[in-house]
Amino acid sequence: MDLTQTAETEGKHMDHTRVPMVEALVDFRRRGDVAYGPPGHRKGRGVDPRLLEVLGKGLFAADVLSLNGLDDRRQSNGILEQAQDLMADAVHAEHAFFSTCGSSLSVKSAMMSVAGPGEELLVSRNAHKSVVSALIIAGIRPVWVHPHADEELHLVHPPEPDDVRRALADHPRAKGMLLITPTDWGTCADIAGVAAVCHDAGVPLIVDEAWGAHLPFHEDLPTWGMDAGADVVVTSVHKMGAAIEQSSVFHLQGDLVDPSVLKAREDLLGTTSSSSLVYLTLDGWRRQMMEQGHELLSAAMSRADRIRRAVEKLEGLSVMGREVVRPQGAFDLDPLVLTIDVRGLGITGYSATEWLRDTCHVDLSAADTCRISARITQGDDDRTEDVLVAALDQLVARSDEIDRAPEVAFPRPGALELETVMRPRDAFFGPAEQVPTEQAVGRIVAEMISPYPPGVPVLVPGERITAEVVEYLRTGKAAGMLIPDSADPEFSTLRVVA
Ligand SMILES: Cc1ncc(COP(=O)(O)O)c(C=O)c1O
């Protein structure tokens, strides 16, 4: 793939009824090619019939290599390029690149195309752990831009343009900025404002828009990163779109990031065996969105609105609405995300989620101490709408069956803004030791500690551990918080710099 030759799509009328990847699969089947390379399952013929019975033949029949499969050895039909150009055109980008390891990989490629070892990058501190992984792998020095704490809701809202302006003034050598929007709770940042600040300083803005793949396709949704002037935007189509897990796209515009540099960084991290299944579903989703996206998203927004109104009538539950859109709050809110505070029932989001799964077979998107969240997509229908409302109704009616969780010691606003003492890479790879958690206070953490979901690290390697943060994590864990990345699953010890 030569990204430098990717067509500039602006001004062209592209034919969005075409699906180059999907058409190539149909052609491959029509020709009846017999392949002797990977995948070894040979269109499913080699698969254990018991597995086929569960997964279906279609899955394996569509799992065909791009190289010497959907396209020839020289990729002379440019099938992938065509599909990517169509995606770029659909979402108003100059270039779009498909990626098969989720935004976790795309965001690393994007960051490493802007900053390298020892260089500074402004990063919003509510970053997903994949962003922190990129800092560690690349040896980038983070300049944290802190989000705004909402004391009442116990969550944070994205940083504002003035925060970024101040950080850039303090760190004039920073290579760019990484912003996360929408957040896990659907709150959105002022991308255009932050992009303008970055561009005034001559540096690019990367937007981790993992939760925002649907945004380009409806004007009533929050503004999409490419439309707001960001330079690189990363999405996970599997999250809010209708492609399979791990399907991610990164998009590029402007001249602050060189497409060939982005390509080289992606090449460094990516697989040499990209899944065609991922590419095929991205291609098909783009056609669907171009043909029916507006209608599908209008229907999803009406559905979300109906659910929101029904849940608001349930005593003890409170749905986050546009009251959070205010200065020092959110700039916008994705109406498809239903963030429901359960504290009025005297229970935690963790126990509410577990009760809903066990009792109603309803699996939610995320939960924390205070809330649960459900996301509505184009795939929801009248049945899933009714099931959700009925389950929440049951949750309220039977909440006294649910164990009361122990109190969580929430940190004071600002208490999560820890001192960065070392570069994340040096703390992570340097000599380290495991010490009892209470003795870790004052030491420099050498591991990531990310309550999941949402997977935003409370502790990033290189930060100084405080008693308040340890107490928050300890009491949070007792209340049901999961910390899958800590070296000690019990959290009774912490990995610190030796
Ligand atoms: C803000 C954010 N960025 C990146 C990612 C990683 O995305 P993926 O799971 O597609 O690798 C996530 C995952 O939840 C996320 O919430």
Side-chain angles (χ1 to χ4, degrees):
M1 172 171 64
D2 179 0
L3 298 187
T4 53
Q5 287 175 15
T6 303
E8 292 262 334
T9 52
E10 206 169 330
K12 276 191 195 169
H13 291 287
M14 302 193 83
D15 181 358
H16 283 283
T17 63
R18 300 294 306 274
V19 271
M21 297 291 304
V22 182
E23 288 161 18
L25 178 65
V26 174
D27 274 354
F28 176 84
R29 289 181 177 164
R30 186 183 40 73
R31 288 195 309 268
D33 281 19
V34 183
Y36 294 92
H41 59 65
R42 301 282 186 265
K43 302 178 195 168
R45 291 194 306 278
V47 174
D48 183 336
R50 291 167 299 180
L51 182 63
L52 274 189
E53 208 181 304
V54 178
L55 295 184
K57 265 192 183 153
L59 175 78
F60 293 96
D63 185 27
V64 176
L65 280 191
S66 288
L67 220 69
N68 263 338
L70 298 181
D71 211 336
D72 59 26
R73 183 173 79 88
R74 295 172 189 268
Q75 308 234 58
S76 50
N77 299 309
I79 290 160
L80 179 58
E81 277 73 13
Q82 289 178 44
Q84 293 181 146
D85 285 351
L86 282 160
M87 182 67 87
D89 186 62
V91 302
H92 327 131
E94 285 168 19
H95 308 271
F97 312 120
F98 292 176
S99 170
T100 62
C101 189
S103 291
S104 297
L105 186 128
S106 309
V107 85
K108 292 186 183 81
S109 312
M111 289 167 69
M112 288 166 66
S113 66
V114 169
E119 292 180 334
E120 286 182 334
L121 182 70
L122 268 53
V123 181
S124 178
R125 181 60 179 80
N126 58 333
H128 184 254
K129 58 188 284 132
S130 54
V131 169
V132 176
S133 305
L135 299 174
I136 293 171
I137 293 167
I140 298 169
R141 290 184 189 280
V143 174
W144 298 119
V145 184
H146 289 287
H148 297 264
D150 187 322
E151 260 187 273
E152 154 54 23
L153 296 180
H154 293 299
L155 50 72
V156 294
H157 299 298
E160 296 180 345
D162 278 345
D163 303 311
V164 178
R165 187 175 291 110
R166 275 192 299 274
L168 275 173
D170 290 346
H171 296 270
R173 292 221 294 261
K175 294 288 181 182
M177 161 83 194
L178 180 129
L179 187 67
I180 294 94
T181 180
T183 65
D184 295 273
W185 309 113
T187 55
C188 300
D190 176 3
I191 306 175
V194 174
V197 170
C198 289
H199 295 163
D200 282 350
V203 296
L205 171 65
I206 304 166
V207 177
D208 175 353
E209 214 157 346
W211 290 107
H214 57 309
L215 301 182
F217 301 104
H218 204 293
E219 68 284 355
D220 292 343
L221 289 167
T223 309
W224 151 247
M226 282 282 121
D227 293 337
D231 300 271
V232 184
V233 174
V234 168
T235 61
S236 288
V237 177
H238 64 95
K239 290 191 192 296
M240 288 300 286
I244 62 170
E245 284 292 301
Q246 299 192 5
S247 55
S248 173
V249 185
F250 46 105
H251 312 81
L252 175 65
Q253 67 183 355
D255 52 15
L256 292 176
V257 179
D258 183 338
S260 59
V261 170
L262 189 56
K263 155 74 184 132
R265 303 299 188 262
E266 196 276 337
D267 191 53
L268 196 67
L269 300 168
T271 172
T272 48
S273 308
S274 298
S275 163
S276 299
L277 287 172
V278 169
Y279 288 173
L280 287 158
T281 58
L282 283 169
D283 200 25
W285 175 73
R286 184 263 318 147
R287 173 176 64 180
Q288 181 191 31
M289 293 316 278
M290 290 305 280
E291 291 179 351
Q292 306 148 32
H294 197 271
E295 191 188 328
L296 289 169
L297 288 167
S298 291
M301 280 190 274
S302 304
R303 193 177 298 291
D305 189 50
R306 277 196 302 276
I307 300 173
R308 182 180 293 275
R309 280 186 279 117
V311 178
E312 270 159 7
K313 291 194 191 121
L314 299 175
E315 210 168 318
L317 298 183
S318 161
V319 195
M320 190 165 84
R322 292 195 67 82
E323 69 284 349
V324 294
V325 179
R326 55 176 166 76
Q328 308 279 300
F331 181 75
D332 206 344
L333 187 71
D334 182 349
L336 294 180
V337 185
L338 298 166
T339 301
I340 304 166
D341 200 316
V342 298
R343 283 176 293 172
L345 298 178
I347 57 175
T348 62
Y350 306 125
S351 50
T353 309
E354 283 165 11
W355 187 90
L356 285 165
R357 180 179 160 89
D358 292 346
T359 316
C360 305
H361 308 301
V362 161
D363 300 334
L364 291 180
S365 172
D368 73 5
T369 317
C370 306
R371 74 208 100 238
I372 52 180
S373 97
R375 292 169 175 275
I376 303 305
T377 74
Q378 65 193 72
D380 282 295
D381 56 20
D382 291 348
R383 191 184 83 84
T384 64
E385 177 180 334
D386 292 347
V387 165
L388 179 59
V389 174
L392 292 170
D393 187 50
Q394 281 295 300
L395 177 77
V396 171
R398 297 170 60 184
S399 63
D400 49 2
E401 288 174 16
I402 304 173
D403 283 346
R404 308 288 108 168
E407 285 278 306
V408 175
F410 287 109
R412 289 164 298 124
L416 290 177
E417 298 176 14
L418 301 177
E419 181 195 1
T420 298
V421 188
M422 285 172 78
R423 204 163 56 143
R425 180 197 194 117
D426 299 334
F428 186 85
F429 287 115
E433 56 182 336
Q434 206 73 26
V435 298
T437 304
E438 58 282 7
Q439 288 172 26
V441 173
R443 303 284 299 267
I444 302 167
V445 66
E447 62 177 333
M448 252 194 274
I449 297 290
S450 323
Y452 198 90
V456 174
V458 168
L459 289 172
V460 166
E463 288 179 334
R464 193 178 304 282
I465 302 164
T466 62
E468 198 166 343
V469 162
V470 165
E471 191 54 8
Y472 165 54
L473 291 167
R474 202 188 52 74
T475 53
K477 196 158 181 338
M481 177 193 283
L482 303 176
I483 311 177
D485 53 6
S486 70
D488 174 1
E490 298 307 319
F491 194 62
S492 42
T493 60
L494 260 174
R495 194 166 173 78
V496 297
V497 172

